[in-house]
Amino acid sequence: MSDFDPNRRQLLKASTVAVGGVAAAAGLMQTAEAAAVAQPAIPATPVLMSILLRVNGAEHQLMVDPRTTLLDALRDRLHLTGSKKGCDQGQCGACTVLIDGRRVTSCLTLAVMQEGHDITTIEGLGTPTSLHPLQAAFVKHDGFQCGFCTPGQICSAVGMLQELREGAPSHVTGDLNAAVQASPLEFRERMSGNLCRCGAYSNIQEAIAEVAGVKR
């Protein structure tokens, strides 16, 4: 029979204490995790910025979330609903506006980025009693059906004709060293970013060609 071994007893006591400590620590961690889960989420305070937008010749001071797109600022804050929200991804062109004369899809630019620029929407091109030449041509040639894409089509056409006058080439321009000629082929290529679900493309082209002075 073996004699009493004090070292072995001490080892067993130490092991028991260690196991107990681990179990207690695990219990504390579970309690802490449960407390963390139980804490209500603290809503993030929205950060707002003051901006001055110049739209259709009028200045508007707005407080906006810096993530606000120009399209949402125009429609929801300034109530200029001519610019339409179609795809909201810059693919349909329904939200096209003019910024310093250049056509821009307003869903892809932030309102805070356009402070200090001249923004023109369809509401700023003409009035019911004094239509812009392209607006009048769209009416004359029935260049719309449901009308959803029409504001973007017209704003885009205004910018596109200006690009032609400035001699900017497109993908279908044959001679990059020669003056760019307005043609139905150039119109189709340059307006390809504006979609019409009704399929009024031929009439839209007729309207643009008339304003550009191109015979079809």
Side-chain angles (χ1 to χ4, degrees):
M1 183 176 180
S2 62
D3 297 331
F4 172 72
D5 184 357
N7 293 331
R8 183 169 178 270
R9 171 168 291 185
Q10 290 299 324
L11 175 62
L12 290 174
K13 287 175 64 178
S15 300
T16 303
V17 170
V19 171
V22 170
L28 289 173
M29 290 179 64
Q30 290 177 350
T31 303
E33 290 173 356
V37 171
Q39 289 294 326
I42 300 175
T45 303
V47 177
L48 301 179
M49 293 181 63
S50 176
I51 60 172
L52 182 67
L53 291 183
R54 189 162 54 248
V55 184
N56 300 332
E59 293 187 335
H60 304 271
Q61 192 78 48
L62 300 175
M63 292 294 292
V64 298
D65 186 316
R67 298 167 296 181
T68 303
T69 66
L70 177 60
L71 176 61
D72 286 340
L74 291 173
R75 290 181 56 84
D76 299 339
R77 302 297 303 279
L78 301 182
H79 308 297
L80 295 170
T81 56
S83 304
K84 297 297 188 288
K85 180 178 282 191
C87 66
D88 207 21
Q89 298 179 357
Q91 297 181 6
C92 73
C95 66
T96 302
V97 299
L98 299 168
I99 298 178
D100 296 335
R102 303 291 182 185
R103 47 185 175 162
V104 173
T105 46
S106 58
C107 71
L108 291 186
T109 186
L110 300 175
V112 296
M113 296 169 61
Q114 302 310 329
E115 191 171 34
H117 296 278
D118 285 312
I119 303 164
T120 304
T121 69
I122 190 67
E123 292 91 343
L125 284 181
T127 66
T129 56
S130 179
L131 296 176
H132 184 279
L134 270 166
Q135 291 174 315
F138 268 62
V139 173
K140 176 182 176 181
H141 292 278
D142 200 18
F144 52 87
Q145 290 186 33
C146 79
F148 186 85
C149 72
T150 306
Q153 296 274 5
I154 292 176
C155 284
S156 186
V158 172
M160 180 272 291
L161 291 179
Q162 182 61 32
E163 292 165 12
L164 274 173
R165 285 191 286 271
E166 294 173 354
S170 77
H171 180 67
V172 298
T173 302
D175 187 353
L176 298 181
N177 295 316
V180 180
Q181 299 298 317
S183 67
L185 181 61
E186 288 280 358
F187 298 153
R188 284 196 295 271
E189 167 62 20
R190 294 168 187 266
M191 292 296 292
S192 60
N194 289 82
L195 306 182
C196 173
R197 291 180 297 181
C198 302
Y201 293 112
S202 60
N203 294 358
I204 291 171
Q205 292 291 308
E206 292 283 354
I208 293 173
E210 177 180 294
V211 175
V214 174
K215 294 183 178 179
R216 289 167 57 87

